[in-house]
Amino acid sequence: RELLRNDIQNNAISLVADYGNPGQMIPAAEAFYIISPEIKSPMGANLSAVANEEKANEILKEHSGRLFTWTTIKNEIEGKK
């Protein structure tokens, strides 16, 4: 989480891997995020990003987890639940 926290604080533009489209990168500020213990991710913290809310909800139908926006995931990572 520390590495992710540093990335959030130090980068003006960040890209994240789109879980819904492997190999694609999407703007972090426009992505929707899922934290699910059922989905292991290279970003750590069982955190996955997707390009839109519709895809996020599809994934959540198959896996337990919580949905976040850019603002809410930053608060989660920074510990401001």
Side-chain angles (χ1 to χ4, degrees), residues 15-26 31 33 42-43 48-51:
L15 298 175
V16 293
D18 185 351
Y19 178 81
N21 292 299
Q24 297 293 315
M25 300 300 286
I26 54 177
Y33 298 87
M43 290 196 295
S48 302
V50 293

Side-chain angles (χ1 to χ4, degrees), residues 2 6-7 13 19 25-27 29 32-33 35 41 69 77 79:
E2 186 63 33
N6 288 338
D7 285 347
I13 298 174
Y19 178 81
M25 300 300 286
I26 54 177
F32 289 83
Y33 298 87
I35 293 180
S41 74
T69 63
I77 299 291

Side-chain angles (χ1 to χ4, degrees), residues 1-65:
R1 286 190 179 209
E2 186 63 33
L3 179 61
L4 188 56
R5 184 178 297 120
N6 288 338
D7 285 347
I8 288 170
Q9 293 173 348
N10 296 325
N11 292 317
I13 298 174
S14 295
L15 298 175
V16 293
D18 185 351
Y19 178 81
N21 292 299
Q24 297 293 315
M25 300 300 286
I26 54 177
E30 297 173 15
F32 289 83
Y33 298 87
I34 298 167
I35 293 180
S36 172
E38 297 176 14
I39 303 172
K40 303 301 179 205
S41 74
M43 290 196 295
N46 297 324
L47 176 64
S48 302
V50 293
N52 61 62
E53 190 172 12
E54 181 180 341
K55 184 63 178 177
N57 285 320
E58 287 177 21
I59 293 167
L60 285 172
K61 286 181 184 177
E62 297 176 25
H63 304 282
S64 66

